[in-house]
Amino acid sequence: MNNSPIQAVIFDWAGTIVDFGSFAPTSIFVEAFRQGFDFDISLAEAREPMGIAKWDHIQAVGRIPSVDKRWIEQFGNPMSSEDVDRIYAAFMPLQKAKVADHAAPILNAVEVVDNLKEKGVKVGSCSGYPREVMDVLIPVAADYGYKPDYVVASDDMPQGGRPAPFMALKNVIELGITDVNACVKVDDSAPGIEEGHNAGMWTVGLLLSGNEAGLTFEEFQSADAETLDAAREKAREKLIKSAPHYLIDTIADLPGVIADIEQRLKAGERP
């Protein structure tokens, strides 16, 4: 029985629930460019389009002006679809080999999720990872205690991934949700927040655990207030463009947001 006006919370994976700082995909993008073409990109360049499906992400990195310029200097032409295919082919086995190393839950993630389940709220999830990567990640995350009620991978939806609403809405259908206004989307990337908006949901952006701050958990733990403020502002600048309803540091801060949304729903508000 649901004791909350919220019917479902739909979480992103890397940088939201697991993999503090979203390092599994970023480091692998750098390595895949190197393996595929002996071409170097920075971690910052690898992070730039985070949140979209991985093939599209590689293509988007190739279109960053600084990367495009170096690519043309090295190869004589802009990056082609065939080039993207070759980098993606290098990316996939690397990602599958490494994703389990970054499956540890972030801070209070399991506790927050379990509390939602205890209230009868369904827990959905979606990811920019393709299904063959998720098939490696899901059982390892389950061993750590994270077991969402449903998982959608980026290539499960032929209509495409974020910022389109299809992955979020697939969760709605499979979880038997009757009102998208009673759903919350939680993500550390702008495309993931836009996905929530496009699906008609409340949206929550995460500032410090995800891709935009790019801190390791150790850096986060040892950082002084000034360092955290700088990381927060860097992430806020990127995420605010997608106009999330709430911005918080990590999933540990989500219970307060959930309580606020519950009150707003009871008062008749909609996202």
Side-chain angles (χ1 to χ4, degrees):
M1 185 181 143
N2 192 341
N3 298 319
S4 169
I6 295 171
Q7 292 189 28
V9 180
I10 297 161
F11 293 101
D12 174 50
W13 280 74
T16 297
I17 291 280
V18 300
D19 186 10
F20 199 103
S22 202
F23 279 90
T26 44
S27 57
I28 300 301
F29 280 123
V30 172
E31 183 58 32
F33 270 81
R34 201 169 284 150
Q35 262 197 31
F37 281 95
D38 197 22
F39 182 85
D40 288 327
I41 62 169
S42 68
L43 268 178
E45 288 166 338
R47 287 187 181 281
E48 185 65 31
M50 192 64 73
I52 59 177
K54 301 311 177 198
W55 192 97
D56 299 327
H57 185 129
I58 293 165
Q59 185 181 59
V61 169
R63 288 176 176 166
I64 296 170
S66 58
V67 176
D68 182 50
K69 182 172 180 288
R70 298 200 308 276
W71 188 275
I72 291 169
E73 283 168 2
Q74 192 165 330
F75 301 111
N77 295 295
M79 188 186 292
S80 67
S81 291
E82 291 74 23
D83 296 334
V84 178
D85 286 341
R86 185 163 153 188
I87 297 166
Y88 187 75
F91 170 85
M92 284 303 292
L94 287 167
Q95 189 69 87
K96 284 160 73 175
K98 286 287 181 189
V99 73
D101 297 340
H102 297 267
I106 289 168
L107 296 168
N108 303 58
V110 172
E111 182 189 334
V112 169
V113 167
D114 286 350
N115 286 343
L116 288 168
K117 287 183 175 182
E118 281 166 22
K119 294 207 292 187
V121 176
K122 295 281 177 61
V123 175
S125 70
C126 48
S127 176
Y129 284 136
R131 177 53 64 177
E132 57 185 294
V133 174
M134 291 308 298
D135 284 344
V136 177
L137 178 56
I138 290 165
V140 183
D143 288 343
Y144 280 111
Y146 177 57
K147 300 173 184 176
D149 297 313
Y150 196 70
V151 181
V152 184
S154 62
D155 56 349
D156 288 348
M157 306 307 296
Q159 304 94 329
R162 301 162 179 158
F166 305 116
M167 288 199 292
L169 294 177
K170 176 72 169 165
N171 275 282
V172 167
I173 292 164
E174 297 299 333
L175 295 172
I177 304 306
T178 57
D179 184 1
V180 291
N181 297 152
C183 296
V184 183
K185 177 73 207 298
V186 185
D187 209 295
D188 68 306
S189 74
I193 293 164
E194 288 164 15
E195 170 193 26
H197 283 307
N198 290 334
M201 301 175 177
W202 300 89
T203 56
V204 183
L206 302 178
L207 293 167
L208 291 183
S209 65
N211 179 65
E212 300 308 337
L215 298 171
T216 65
F217 184 52
E218 292 71 27
E219 287 169 339
F220 169 76
Q221 281 187 305
S222 62
D224 57 23
E226 194 180 342
T227 304
L228 287 183
D229 280 344
R232 223 177 252 120
E233 280 315 303
K234 180 185 164 201
R236 187 188 305 277
E237 206 172 287
K238 190 81 178 276
L239 295 183
I240 205 74
K241 292 171 185 167
S242 57
H245 294 97
Y246 298 87
L247 278 172
I248 56 177
D249 286 350
T250 74
I251 189 173
D253 306 309
L254 188 65
V257 168
I258 293 296
D260 195 61
I261 293 172
E262 286 174 336
Q263 292 307 311
R264 293 174 73 175
L265 284 168
K266 285 173 183 170
E269 280 192 61
R270 298 161 75 86

